Amino acid sequence: MCRIGSIKSKVPVHPSKALHLMLPQQEGHDNSGFAMVMQDLYGIFSDYKDKPLLSLACTQHGAELVEEYMDSHNFTQLAEWIPVPNKEPGLDIQAMPYYIFRNYDYPEYYNEKTQAEREDLLLDTRLALRKILEEAKEGFVYSFWPDVLTLKEIGDPRDIATYFRLWDDNGCLIAKNIVAQCRQNTNYDIVRYAAHPFFLQGYTLCANGENTFYTKNKEFQKSLHRGYIGFESDSQNFLYTLHYVLHELKWPLDYYKHVITPLPFEEIEKRPDKEILMAIRQSLAHLEINGPNTIIATLPDTRMITCCDSKKLRPVVVGRDDTMVAISSEVCGLNEIMPNRDMTQDIYPNEREVVVIDNELEVQRWKQ
Amino acid sequence: METVKTQDIAINDLPWKIEYNAERCTLCGSCVATCTFKSIKVAVQSQSITISEKSQPEPEHRHIARAIIKQDASIANACRGCGMCERICPNNAIRPVRNPDERKALLSRDNGPIKRGGRTNLNAQRTLDHIIVGRISQMTDPSLDSQRHTFDIRAPFGRVLSPHELPFRVENGKLVMAKKTPPVDWVYPLIFSDMSIGALSTRAWEAVAMATAYLNEKCGLPVRMSSGEGGMPVKLLESEHLKYFIIQIASGHFGWNRIIKAMPHMVTDPGGILIKIGQGAKPGDGGLLPAAKVAEHVQAIRGVPKATLSSPPNHQGLYSIEESVQKMHLSLNAAFGFRVPVAIKCAASATSVSVYNNLLRDPYKICGGFFIDGIQGGTGAANEISLDHTGHPIVSKIRDCYLAAVKQGLQGQIPLFGGGGIGMTGNAAADAFKMICLGANGVFCGKILIQLLGCIGNEHGRCNSCNTGKCPMGICTQDPRLVKRLDIDRGAQKIVDYVLAFDAELRKLMAPIGNSSLPVGRSDALVSTDKSIADKLGIQYVC
Ligand code: SF4
Ligand code: SF4
């Protein structure tokens, strides 16, 4: 079982904050990795917030392949951050040779294009790079999106942080939103792509638990969108459905919960909006999720949400103070990073609730 | 002594031999009276016996003529092994015994092809018994509690739209329906399959109908019953209960005169319409109701004279699937104002996937369900050659159709229902559950219902005489004396009890795999101990 956590802050925070949130929960995970997605970046990326940022782990040849592709597709490199790792002996990390975080400018002829066309370009570019690197076995590309940085690595989270100098808190790598997790997917072979959080076109998602409808979800999602690939983890299903409901169907956020954990028929019958809820349950039956789980997600507008399975078989708690809201599988994580918060304000979402945190840190509880 | 002619039928040629114990028999005559097939008769036999009637032993040898019960050595009156004689005999003096050396199939074609009821006796293999629910939730993903948790055991019946086809509009942050969508009912995933009044006695049909109404109204299980070809009693057509019934239209269109006349008086819509194209037990054949069973009330309901009623093998005028969709689906949808799901039932066939693909691509979105009937389905009357040698197993067919839909991202849009042999071993819940994991939305069953009413027929040649009008259990007959044998209240009760147990058992299977909704298409929950089955169905092979 893993533990998940996230931070949404009015002032940008360092990744070490996310590590402090996660490490006290280590009894529940196995310290087999560290992965995070940062959204709304400051520090060295401040000047390029509207330019797509590529997050990549690769070999030297992989880096060349990526450069070649990006050049031939008219992306111009604007800025780059290549972490200089701390290679002190004894660190438990299975590092890749290079980690590249690079901002690009869109090809010139994209200046006139719509937002949707740009989003498609970024997705298609990431998919193409993934394919190239996968075939050559030369690396992994995690995200390619403005203002979004992804880091995933196998090893002990503390050592990973040491390696990337994340404990230094030097102001270079900071963001207002961080979603993190400290475990590799141990159900299957360890694959870097299988580590949460997952990212797709502005949507980030982390899940703790099992999705027993994985096969059904996967079989359906495969035909819904070209970006729904990989399926290295059953938690990707949550992300793809989130993306499908919000980005493709363009339904309001409330309906995501109705898709993944629909109300029992008996309850739908009593609702004034039963016609809609039944139609959703019917048409999206293959996107329903069963099994115990909790998810944390960030939306393209950087609102953060959390919700649980319909039987509340997995824990999650939301804590807040004046400048920060944090979501965590266990309360010990919150106690570590915000010991002075008013604990009576902590929220333990129930099985029919979606907790939404907006950019003013207003916390809303939506009943399904 | 008469010369024995080798062509004469001997008892030893028959599939069942009567084992009779003259010492126990008190000659009450009950067995002879009860045997509807006239397979046994009273005969006189000379016997030489030694008796002693005095207080002291004084044995005396005598030749006496004595009445006994004797089996009739004829094909027409062959014992069907129904066991009524054994059931009724107060002294355990008589019972049928299976004869492994029988030659009936060989000898009974003097008057043309053999006709019988029941299901295939040749292809009764059980794929489902080689499949196990093998993916058990443990540790991180806990099993559910079958008694405490809520389980949604429902199947869609009606045309389901793709998510992107839903006519939704956003208004004040809420979705609203911009226009009408096709009707879909969420029904119980076990549908009582089409057995007509005519094939069944009215009382037997009523017993099933009573059970249906009870399950809906008292148990909260929205079970649907298909009428079978041949219409329904007008009283029922005009009652509130009509909503639990799926009216069937088959190639003979029997009974539709009355249905159409009743339409203005209907107080509610029927639960659905089922267009029967074919039947698993005898694919390519139309319905068949032998004259012996066309009693007066059957003539009235169907609007026909007393005669053998054969439905044509095809719906006249349907030359293609597109046409079937356009003509029949559209007109039946229109007849009930597009408020009632219209589904189609076909015999499983090597071509089922093409049919399903065509239905899925229908631009009108009006096919509300695809019922596929496998070779192990039952029938009231068919040629034995059709029963045993034509058809297609249902399990891989459901899987193939489901996967064909998956390939196009259309799974779930036309709900799949599989039938034919469901519950053959008495365990319908396990069968249904496995079919659902393989991609069915639900199952339909018929034979098991009449077995619950008392039918003792099976796929090993027992009884299977539903075509004769002499059903010993009063189920498949219109003979009023035989019909009295059936206690319809107890029969209905049996069906209700069975379905309630079925429901509890489905939960017992859903709970350990951690699912609160039906695991439609969750093939990962299944494993097979047979490699070829595992490969064919795309599930894990285990040993
Ligand atoms: S078993 Fe049935 S058919 Fe055979 S003799 Fe007895 S009652 Fe008649
Ligand atoms: S008992 Fe009746 S219904 Fe059953 S097989 Fe015999 S004739 Fe048919």
Side-chain angles (χ1 to χ4, degrees):
Chain A
M1 190 150 68
C2 61
R3 299 288 186 269
I4 53 178
S6 70
I7 294 170
K8 183 163 187 58
S9 174
K10 281 187 185 162
V11 283
V13 295
H14 286 96
S16 62
K17 191 67 102 186
L19 282 152
H20 287 302
L21 171 72
M22 296 312 295
L23 291 176
Q25 307 179 50
Q26 64 171 303
E27 272 174 21
H29 52 67
D30 60 359
N31 280 337
S32 56
F34 177 66
M36 63 168 179
V37 174
M38 302 173 78
Q39 245 160 311
D40 199 355
L41 300 164
Y42 293 86
I44 57 166
F45 296 106
S46 300
D47 295 340
Y48 305 100
K49 288 179 83 68
D50 60 336
K51 304 297 181 198
L53 173 63
L54 182 67
S55 300
L56 191 68
C58 61
T59 61
Q60 185 167 357
H61 181 52
E64 285 161 17
L65 291 173
V66 169
E67 251 167 73
E68 217 170 90
Y69 181 90
M70 296 306 271
D71 282 351
S72 65
H73 288 77
N74 304 312
F75 282 100
T76 31
Q77 183 179 329
L78 294 173
E80 180 176 70
W81 176 59
I82 298 184
V84 183
N86 171 358
K87 293 192 177 172
E88 67 181 56
L91 292 183
D92 171 11
I93 177 169
Q94 296 176 29
M96 293 290 291
Y98 290 96
Y99 294 85
I100 298 173
F101 301 94
R102 190 183 283 153
N103 286 111
Y104 283 93
D105 207 349
Y106 292 95
E108 223 176 278
Y109 57 93
Y110 263 78
N111 290 342
E112 311 302 314
K113 303 262 178 169
T114 62
Q115 176 67 13
E117 284 168 320
R118 286 169 170 234
E119 292 185 358
D120 281 348
L121 172 73
L122 297 185
L123 172 65
D124 289 332
T125 305
R126 177 172 65 80
L127 295 179
L129 292 175
R130 174 172 170 152
K131 188 156 180 273
I132 292 168
L133 290 174
E134 223 162 27
E135 277 169 7
K137 294 199 175 61
E138 299 284 356
F140 305 87
V141 52
Y142 298 118
S143 56
F144 183 41
W145 202 257
D147 221 10
V148 171
L149 180 145
T150 308
L151 178 71
K152 292 187 181 183
E153 209 31 87
I154 302 170
D156 185 305
R158 282 183 209 85
D159 292 351
I160 295 172
T162 306
Y163 186 84
F164 289 105
R165 302 180 194 277
L166 299 181
W167 300 119
D168 294 359
D169 288 354
N170 57 13
C172 124
L173 194 60
I174 45 174
K176 286 190 176 174
N177 304 279
I178 303 180
V179 181
Q181 190 260 134
C182 285
R183 180 185 183 241
Q184 273 294 331
N185 183 342
T186 45
N187 288 6
Y188 310 98
D189 294 343
I190 294 199
V191 193
R192 279 177 166 80
Y193 281 130
H196 334 184
F198 305 106
F199 178 84
L200 176 65
Q201 291 195 313
Y203 297 85
T204 302
L205 188 139
C206 216
N208 162 18
E210 301 265 341
N211 168 15
T212 52
F213 276 174
Y214 167 71
T215 303
K216 290 176 64 150
N217 285 179
K218 178 171 100 173
E219 283 176 347
F220 193 53
Q221 288 174 336
K222 269 184 171 171
S223 61
L224 288 179
H225 193 276
R226 67 191 185 291
Y228 304 165
I229 57 158
F231 298 99
E232 292 87 1
S233 152
D234 57 5
S235 304
Q236 278 159 324
N237 300 133
F238 294 91
L239 173 69
Y240 296 156
T241 295
L242 181 69
H243 177 269
Y244 187 65
V245 171
L246 270 61
H247 190 269
E248 297 301 298
L249 295 175
K250 304 195 174 11
W251 292 352
L253 175 61
D254 324 18
Y255 294 95
Y256 176 57
K257 181 80 174 144
H258 284 292
V259 173
I260 57 169
T261 56
L263 292 170
F265 291 111
E266 255 176 41
E267 281 177 47
I268 292 183
E269 264 314 304
K270 296 179 202 143
R271 298 262 304 217
D273 53 351
K274 64 179 177 191
E275 205 188 0
I276 297 287
L277 298 187
M278 277 306 272
I280 291 176
R281 183 148 196 195
Q282 256 149 238
S283 293
L284 289 87
H286 289 264
L287 296 181
E288 180 183 344
I289 298 220
N290 254 218
N293 53 70
T294 294
I295 62 158
I296 298 174
T298 319
L299 308 180
D301 60 10
T302 65
R303 275 184 299 164
M304 210 173 256
I305 64 167
T306 183
C307 58
C308 310
D309 65 80
S310 60
K311 304 214 160 35
K312 182 68 190 169
L313 294 167
R314 279 285 183 280
V316 68
V317 51
V318 183
R320 57 185 144 168
D321 62 19
D322 291 344
T323 57
M324 189 162 84
V325 176
I327 308 175
S328 171
S329 292
E330 290 181 11
V331 75
C332 57
L334 300 183
N335 296 346
E336 176 76 21
I337 61 164
M338 35 192 356
N340 300 322
R341 76 188 188 285
D342 177 359
M343 289 190 196
T344 60
Q345 297 290 306
D346 286 357
I347 298 171
Y348 291 84
N350 69 35
E351 66 275 17
R352 289 296 171 202
E353 211 171 21
V354 181
V355 175
V356 184
I357 303 142
D358 69 16
N359 294 329
E360 268 58 63
L361 300 195
E362 192 111 346
V363 179
Q364 293 179 24
R365 305 175 71 166
W366 295 356
K367 199 169 158 2
Q368 181 181 6
Chain B
M1 199 169 105
E2 263 181 273
T3 319
V4 175
K5 291 282 189 295
T6 51
Q7 284 81 11
D8 286 350
I9 302 293
I11 301 282
N12 201 28
D13 292 328
L14 304 178
W16 297 88
K17 283 161 81 170
I18 286 300
E19 194 180 272
Y20 171 66
N21 189 337
E23 273 66 56
R24 284 172 167 270
C25 178
T26 57
L27 288 173
C28 69
S30 303
C31 58
V32 176
T34 202
C35 178
T36 53
F37 303 104
K38 297 192 169 47
S39 312
I40 43 178
K41 55 192 178 191
V42 181
V44 176
Q45 206 175 43
S46 84
Q47 281 184 345
S48 93
I49 49 171
T50 305
I51 48 170
S52 168
E53 287 173 335
K54 304 269 167 50
S55 54
Q56 320 227 291
E58 279 179 31
E60 192 182 325
H61 200 70
R62 275 195 215 156
H63 285 279
I64 56 167
R66 188 174 177 192
I68 53 146
I69 307 295
K70 195 174 168 192
Q71 186 172 3
D72 188 15
S74 84
I75 293 281
N77 296 345
C79 167
R80 312 302 215 262
C82 75
M84 274 306 277
C85 49
E86 181 180 11
R87 221 173 252 254
I88 207 157
C89 175
N91 306 310
N92 291 335
I94 187 165
R95 71 183 185 115
V97 176
R98 195 182 287 279
N99 174 16
D101 299 316
E102 59 137 329
R103 304 199 300 149
K104 179 165 176 275
L106 185 70
L107 301 175
S108 43
R109 287 183 162 87
D110 292 356
N111 299 310
I114 302 171
K115 294 206 168 41
R116 67 171 176 87
R119 56 158 68 105
T120 179
N121 282 183
L122 197 61
N123 287 289
Q125 76 282 356
R126 289 271 308 162
T127 306
L128 291 172
D129 291 341
H130 295 282
I131 298 174
I132 313 167
V133 180
R135 192 258 180 227
I136 307 302
S137 294
Q138 284 165 89
M139 308 285 281
T140 62
D141 99 27
S143 297
L144 301 177
D145 183 331
S146 73
Q147 291 181 346
R148 190 168 59 89
H149 282 119
T150 325
F151 291 85
D152 262 350
I153 304 183
R154 296 286 181 273
F157 179 49
R159 182 62 157 89
V160 173
L161 297 179
S162 269
H164 63 268
E165 291 168 342
L166 289 171
F168 287 172
R169 219 182 34 229
V170 183
E171 250 174 40
N172 304 325
K174 292 279 165 208
L175 292 173
V176 293
M177 199 69 95
K179 66 181 209 270
K180 210 168 129 36
T181 53
V184 181
D185 276 339
W186 281 80
V187 301
Y188 198 69
L190 178 71
I191 291 183
F192 292 173
S193 153
D194 21 331
M195 295 180 290
S196 66
I197 300 181
L200 298 192
S201 65
T202 315
R203 284 172 71 85
W205 196 93
E206 276 170 7
V208 183
M210 270 169 60
T212 306
Y214 191 91
L215 284 163
N216 276 279
E217 297 192 346
K218 302 284 182 212
C219 312
L221 300 183
V223 173
R224 296 289 171 269
M225 167 176 172
S226 167
S227 64
E229 180 180 23
M232 288 168 57
V234 172
K235 241 172 122 179
L236 189 51
L237 286 170
E238 295 177 2
S239 86
E240 272 292 342
H241 291 147
L242 181 63
K243 56 179 181 272
Y244 309 137
F245 292 83
I246 297 170
I247 311 180
Q248 186 176 90
I249 179 159
S251 55
H253 298 190
F254 289 122
W256 273 79
N257 236 345
R258 268 203 177 195
I259 294 169
I260 289 165
K261 281 193 193 137
M263 276 171 66
H265 310 289
M266 285 181 185
V267 292
T268 178
D269 284 327
I273 306 293
L274 185 62
I275 303 172
K276 178 188 153 192
I277 301 288
Q279 181 177 352
K282 44 175 174 178
D285 250 357
L288 175 65
L289 190 65
K293 292 172 76 173
V294 186
E296 236 164 76
H297 61 277
V298 178
Q299 296 168 33
I301 293 177
R302 299 197 176 197
V304 291
K306 187 168 180 73
T308 292
L309 305 179
S310 308
S311 296
N314 289 310
H315 286 263
Q316 304 302 305
L318 295 189
Y319 300 104
S320 66
I321 303 164
E322 289 83 352
E323 226 169 348
S324 118
V325 167
Q326 283 177 24
K327 286 189 184 163
M328 291 208 67
H329 276 86
L330 264 181
S331 46
L332 287 162
N333 266 284
F336 292 96
F338 292 86
R339 296 183 307 268
V340 175
V342 179
I344 186 166
K345 173 177 171 178
C346 290
S349 143
T351 57
S352 302
V353 170
S354 323
V355 175
Y356 191 47
N357 277 339
N358 273 284
L359 293 171
L360 281 169
R361 290 168 196 157
D362 122 58
Y364 307 95
K365 315 267 179 217
I366 46 177
C367 175
F370 189 41
F371 286 59
I372 318 177
D373 193 13
I375 187 172
Q376 292 167 348
T379 178
N383 286 291
E384 184 168 72
I385 193 142
S386 309
L387 274 167
D388 283 344
H389 297 276
T390 61
H392 193 299
I394 186 62
V395 182
S396 67
K397 204 77 270 175
I398 280 287
R399 185 79 183 135
D400 289 348
C401 286
Y402 179 74
L403 290 178
V406 165
K407 216 164 142 195
Q408 306 163 72
L410 301 177
Q411 60 267 52
Q413 294 199 9
I414 297 185
L416 279 169
F417 290 87
I422 300 300
M424 191 194 260
T425 55
N427 302 312
D431 289 359
F433 188 79
K434 293 170 189 176
M435 294 288 281
I436 287 169
C437 288
L438 290 170
N441 292 90
V443 295
F444 55 93
C445 65
K447 181 77 177 170
I448 194 167
L449 300 175
I450 58 169
Q451 286 175 321
L452 287 164
L453 294 182
C455 160
I456 42 65
N458 65 19
E459 53 287 349
H460 310 295
R462 191 173 186 207
C463 198
N464 291 336
S465 308
C466 327
N467 60 318
T468 59
K470 295 176 184 164
C471 172
M473 300 303 167
I475 297 164
C476 282
T477 174
Q478 304 303 335
D479 180 336
R481 284 172 314 141
L482 296 180
V483 165
K484 281 217 182 78
R485 292 184 179 181
L486 176 68
D487 178 338
I488 65 165
D489 295 320
R490 276 179 69 188
Q493 178 74 49
K494 273 246 166 254
I495 294 177
V496 167
D497 288 343
Y498 189 88
V499 175
L500 294 178
F502 174 99
D503 192 59
E505 285 172 344
L506 270 192
R507 285 159 207 260
K508 271 277 166 218
L509 292 171
M510 289 166 75
I513 66 163
N515 287 164
S516 52
S517 313
L518 283 181
V520 179
R522 246 205 90 182
S523 54
D524 59 301
L526 303 179
V527 298
S528 175
T529 49
D530 181 308
K531 179 83 172 84
S532 43
I533 290 176
D535 287 350
K536 173 67 194 157
L537 301 177
I539 59 179
Q540 231 186 87
Y541 165 62
V542 295
C543 58

